[in-house]
Amino acid sequence: MIFAPHTLQVKVFTPMETDEFGRPIPGTGGESWQDVCKCRCDDNSTKEFTSENGEVFRPNYHVVCEKKISLSAGDEVRCMDGENVRGTGKVYMVKNTNYFGYSEIWM
């Protein structure tokens, strides 16, 4: 990809550790953001998707990544522009291309 000014991150949940009796240990576990790849995050206001149930979904952001990624619908992601959040949301649809080796995410 020639133009990829942003960084795609996915929210990772770490379960709490337990002691020998199965009780959760306070201060362990939590959530964090993990870098996935460089990307381009564009605002979206025109594209609409209709589910099989007839629900209409208009995503707020269209993200193009420089490699094939293994995200799925419902994952929470964000795009960072340096230290600033460019866009955040839940993944609606992921498309991976066969020949060019990039991915598209609608969130």
Side-chain angles (χ1 to χ4, degrees), residues 48-59 92-93:
E48 287 184 349
F49 296 100
T50 305
S51 70
E52 295 174 1
N53 297 336
E55 296 177 47
V56 176
F57 179 78
R58 181 177 288 148
Y92 177 72
M93 183 188 318

Side-chain angles (χ1 to χ4, degrees), residues 6-92:
H6 308 120
T7 303
L8 180 68
Q9 295 180 334
V10 64
K11 187 180 273 189
V12 178
F13 296 97
T14 306
M16 292 182 77
E17 296 178 17
T18 57
D19 62 9
E20 62 271 7
F21 301 110
R23 297 177 298 203
I25 300 172
T28 62
E31 3 179 285
S32 62
W33 291 97
Q34 179 181 12
D35 288 353
V36 177
C37 64
K38 298 296 285 177
C39 67
R40 183 186 79 232
C41 179
D42 300 321
D43 292 335
N44 178 60
S45 61
T46 57
K47 182 106 173 153
E48 287 184 349
F49 296 100
T50 305
S51 70
E52 295 174 1
N53 297 336
E55 296 177 47
V56 176
F57 179 78
R58 181 177 288 148
N60 292 327
Y61 300 101
H62 173 231
V63 180
V64 180
C65 300
E66 64 182 5
K67 65 178 187 175
K68 291 184 181 182
I69 56 173
S70 59
L71 293 176
S72 57
D75 289 347
E76 193 167 342
V77 296
R78 71 181 182 182
C79 291
M80 299 297 291
D81 186 7
E83 294 295 319
N84 300 320
V85 176
R86 169 73 175 97
T88 184
K90 291 193 178 195
V91 174
Y92 177 72

